[in-house]
Amino acid sequence: MKTALVLEGPGFSEQGEVLRNLGFAGFRQVQRFVWDALDDAVAGDAAAADLLLIRGPWSLSPEERLLSKTMAAKLSGLDFSKGPSVLAVGRGALVALELLVGANLVWESRFEDGARWIRLRSSEAEPSHLVGLRLGRAVPKMPATLLDGRPISPWLVDDRGETMAWHVERKIWISPLDILAYAERTQLPDYGYADLTTLLTQADILDRFAKKGGL
């Protein structure tokens, strides 16, 4: 049975619904309090897991950047180049980017007049359609490679073709938009007025990670 390591604690989202859907997808869940992330047992769990999920709310500010750096320092004992697939969403994306991109990370203003829910599609050969919940009003201007030289590839784009999420070797998946926020079709303002059946829900996304290791 596959194992998912889900980080919780101050600064991260409550993951009860995600844990239930991971169970339905066939994962055996393992939860850890985020400030214990340097503990040897947690690092061992991460190395042995199939999926590491890091998710939380965020807004672009100096305080947020400091918090992300602090959280990244706590997670520096986890080697993202080995071990599980990593799904870093929302604040999780900021933390992962601090670890993987560091000072090379530049932010661009975005969504100043945008909707709360952003329609997205995969830029891969097998397209998927989903929605992400806008958190901060910015996206990273991603460099071409990580600090270790591995290439960063576009993953999700909006309806204008702007890249909103990235992956590294189809192993590390990074989205500053919360692509796990959409659990029920009634959450969307156009529910009942549009065909939403093609949009992937949280359960659909986690099921694909269970079966394919990504989207």
Side-chain angles (χ1 to χ4, degrees):
M1 182 180 290
K2 293 190 174 183
T3 300
L5 179 65
V6 181
L7 297 184
E8 288 193 307
F12 289 92
S13 302
E14 191 280 321
Q15 306 294 354
E17 190 169 40
V18 165
L19 289 168
R20 286 192 296 274
N21 281 322
L22 284 169
F24 293 145
F27 282 104
R28 177 175 61 86
Q29 308 98 39
V30 179
Q31 292 175 262
R32 294 296 180 195
F33 188 68
V34 69
W35 301 118
D36 293 334
L38 290 181
D39 180 82
D40 289 342
V42 176
D45 283 342
D50 297 284
L51 175 67
L52 172 62
L53 193 152
I54 315 172
R55 175 181 177 235
W58 71 279
S59 59
L60 191 64
S61 67
E63 293 80 11
E64 184 72 53
R65 190 69 184 270
L66 179 60
L67 178 60
S68 297
K69 285 179 178 291
T70 301
M71 290 179 169
K74 286 288 184 179
L75 291 171
S76 61
L78 304 180
D79 187 353
F80 278 25
S81 67
K82 301 175 182 178
S85 293
V86 178
L87 178 55
V89 174
R91 180 171 285 148
L94 274 67
V95 173
L97 290 171
E98 289 289 347
L99 280 169
L100 300 170
V101 180
N104 296 328
L105 185 62
V106 177
W107 290 88
E108 296 180 304
S109 295
R110 195 71 59 84
F111 314 126
E112 291 301 325
D113 301 311
R116 183 168 174 78
W117 292 95
I118 310 298
R119 298 292 182 110
L120 302 168
R121 59 179 173 81
S122 172
S123 61
E124 304 291 331
E126 187 177 331
S128 301
H129 296 270
L130 57 156
V131 289
L133 182 65
R134 174 180 53 76
L135 301 171
R137 294 185 178 273
V139 293
K141 186 176 181 180
M142 199 67 77
T145 62
L146 300 183
L147 290 173
D148 63 10
R150 285 182 291 166
I152 302 172
S153 303
W155 169 30
L156 300 174
V157 298
D158 64 11
D159 56 7
R160 297 178 299 174
E162 299 282 351
T163 302
M164 297 286 119
W166 298 261
H167 72 78
V168 179
E169 299 171 343
R170 300 190 64 81
K171 180 177 174 63
I172 302 172
W173 307 81
I174 299 168
S175 172
L177 300 175
D178 189 352
I179 60 169
L180 296 178
Y182 178 51
E184 298 289 341
R185 291 184 171 84
T186 54
Q187 292 175 263
L188 296 187
D190 50 359
Y191 174 71
Y193 299 92
D195 181 8
L196 306 176
T197 58
T198 61
L199 295 177
L200 300 181
T201 63
Q202 178 190 107
D204 295 327
I205 292 169
L206 295 176
D207 186 66
R208 292 198 181 191
F209 269 87
K211 293 175 178 175
K212 301 180 181 179
L215 275 179

